[in-house]
Amino acid sequence: MKKGMGSYIFDTSNILLMLLLVFATFYPLYYVLVVSLSDGHAVMRGEVAFWPKGFTLSTYQLIFDDQSIWRSYANTVLYTVVGTAINVVCTAMCAYPLSKKEFYGRGFFTLMIVLTMFFSGGLIPSYLLVQKLHMLNTMWALVIPGAISVWNMVIMRTFFQSIPNELYESAYIDGSNELISFLKITVPLSKPIMATMSLFYAVGHWNSFFSAMIYLDEKSKFPLQIILRNMVVMGEMSNQTQELGGIYAGVTATNIKYAVIIIAVLPIVMVYPFIQKYFVKGMMIGSLKG
């Protein structure tokens, strides 16, 4: 079918708009990368825009020589892996019974859980609760209080409701119980929503710094985002940047901030393409069906 002039104009306009949106989305991250690879003096003079000026890897060498960065990076990976595992397991175990129509009191429990999206005790009661549970200055203070996101639980519950009930009835006839049905039927059929929720929770843990500010005292337990926050907001620098010269002479605080940002976002950027196919399917089914 031959396209008219109006169709060509419409398609061209859409392509140009999409290219503009891609540029607006991609350029900030690209600029951060360019600055991290440029000479610090060129950055301070405002000479860096699209290409590295005075290309150097000294900033990354300095960062990788700083043990506090490696320690905080390892902490972030640990908190993200453990926290995401707890989140997905708890969310699935909460969503599964609420997806069953025969579950007595389902409406009441759902209402009570949803109410927590709008009302909470606040920061001080939360801190006192964590303190009474002896979780202050531990990893558990970062992963236990937010074990379940109500919004994510509702999406997962909706996805579970889309699974044909006949599968469960067949399993019950063969002598299955709820736990076996959950593990053998629900979980294998829920890879899309599980992957989606894992991404949501992992990104949340990876980017989280407020809980660590509140509950952690020892610097050795700080996640990477706390180190990054100190660099960006408070202008803190590693002691090595003040003591070393030579090959680090062209490294400034701006270079370090931007290089740490690249290091912080790189793992999430690398993981996302592998679960993108699950992400789209999980969100569509979990949001619209039921």
Side-chain angles (χ1 to χ4, degrees), residues 13 55 82 93 107 176 191 194 240 245 256 277 279 282 287:
S13 300
F55 180 85
V82 175
M93 293 179 67
S176 175
K191 289 182 180 179
M194 294 291 184
Q240 294 182 359
I256 296 176
K277 60 180 180 180
F279 177 81
S287 299

Side-chain angles (χ1 to χ4, degrees), residues 171-221:
Y172 297 149
I173 293 175
D174 293 335
S176 175
N177 55 36
E178 292 294 346
L179 179 59
I180 295 177
S181 297
F182 173 70
L183 296 177
K184 299 293 186 179
I185 299 177
T186 305
V187 173
L189 294 177
S190 302
K191 289 182 180 179
I193 197 65
M194 294 291 184
T196 303
M197 293 298 106
S198 296
L199 176 64
F200 283 177
Y201 282 124
V203 171
H205 284 293
W206 190 270
N207 294 329
S208 177
F209 69 91
F210 186 73
S211 297
M213 288 176 53
I214 300 299
Y215 300 127
L216 299 183
D217 297 326
E218 297 180 18
K219 193 172 182 179
S220 61
K221 297 181 180 179

Side-chain angles (χ1 to χ4, degrees), residues 120-132 136 145 214-215:
S120 65
L123 179 59
I124 295 178
S126 298
Y127 181 88
L128 294 176
L129 176 62
V130 172
Q131 184 184 48
K132 292 296 183 181
L136 285 181
I214 300 299
Y215 300 127

